[in-house]
Structure formats: structure tokens, C-alpha cells
Amino acid sequence: MTEELQNGIVRISDDVVATIAGLAALETPGIAAMSGGISEGLAKRLSGKNVQKGVSVEVGQLEAAIDLRIIVKYGIPIQEVCRVLQDNVREAVANMTGLQVVEVNVKVEGVAFKEEELDEVNVNRVK
């Protein structure tokens, strides 16, 4: 985004929009992690510098389109989580940047189980 003001030009980088979208996604209930995609290997919980993994953005002069790749928690209705996620990301980006978010596309790439459940399965597995 580029905006000419009386005192100069304001530019918002794609990386800034991706960071805002990633943080908003991770704050959404039901989201276990963001997924870096097949090339990134296993899904990683994001924090700090890695907050842009699983987020792709296209930023124009006044609008933005955002693609998210996520891992959801087991037992939570996926369609509801995704609807809330889209609203949260759209609102966060619009409030912080002034951009109109025209679309938030969500790709669910996995389901995260509780660690305790995984441990029980491994204990009961025939060796």
C-alpha cells in the first residue's frame, strides 16, 4: 500500500500485512498452528520471526488478498473456526493498515491432536 500524504508517502510492506495476519490467525481459538506447507516439512507453531509462515499476501494500493495455511485443533468444527479466522484476520489488517481486505482464503492442512492422546496411542501400539 502506498499513500501520499501532505508530508510525504506512506508505504506498507507485504511483510507487515503478512505479520499482522499471522498474529491474528494464531490468536483465533481453535487454531493449533500455521503450516509452512509441504516444502517446510511438519507444521510449526509460530512465534516471533516465523510469524509469516503459512501466510501469503497480495497488497495493492487500497486492497489486500490473504491466503492462510493452518492446522486446526481436533474436535472443533472446522467451518466455524475458519469463519472466525477470516473475520479476525480481515478486521486486524483493516484496523492496523487501512487496507480493504477483499478475500481471506483458508487452506486447512491438518488436524492437531492433544499430546496425551498421542502418547496413549503409542503406548497401546504393538511393538
Side-chain angles (χ1 to χ4, degrees):
M1 173 192 160
T2 303
E3 184 177 337
E4 282 196 46
L5 301 174
Q6 187 176 11
N7 298 329
I9 296 175
V10 174
R11 290 193 179 112
I12 299 175
S13 155
D14 291 5
D15 290 343
V16 170
V17 175
T19 299
I20 294 167
L23 289 170
L26 287 174
E27 292 174 355
T28 301
I31 303 298
M34 302 296 289
S35 174
I38 296 170
S39 64
E40 296 286 332
L42 298 174
K44 297 179 182 177
R45 184 169 299 275
L46 298 180
S47 63
K49 296 178 185 175
N50 294 327
V51 78
Q52 294 175 12
K53 288 188 180 163
V55 182
S56 301
V57 299
E58 286 184 42
V59 179
Q61 291 288 333
L62 301 172
E63 300 176 334
I66 302 168
D67 296 323
L68 303 170
R69 295 183 309 275
I70 62 167
I71 307 296
V72 297
K73 292 179 181 175
Y74 178 78
I76 298 175
I78 294 173
Q79 71 279 9
E80 290 177 24
V81 170
C82 291
R83 192 172 312 117
V84 170
L85 172 63
Q86 289 172 318
D87 291 341
N88 288 352
V89 169
R90 181 176 287 115
E91 184 178 327
V93 171
N95 287 342
M96 292 188 72
T97 65
L99 291 168
Q100 178 184 359
V101 180
V102 292
E103 61 185 36
V104 178
N105 301 310
V106 180
K107 181 177 182 186
V108 179
E109 292 192 342
V111 176
F113 298 94
K114 293 180 183 175
E115 288 184 30
E116 305 88 52
E117 292 174 357
L118 292 175
D119 290 340
E120 288 175 18
V121 170
N122 289 334
V123 169
N124 294 329
R125 189 174 274 178
V126 177
K127 295 181 181 180

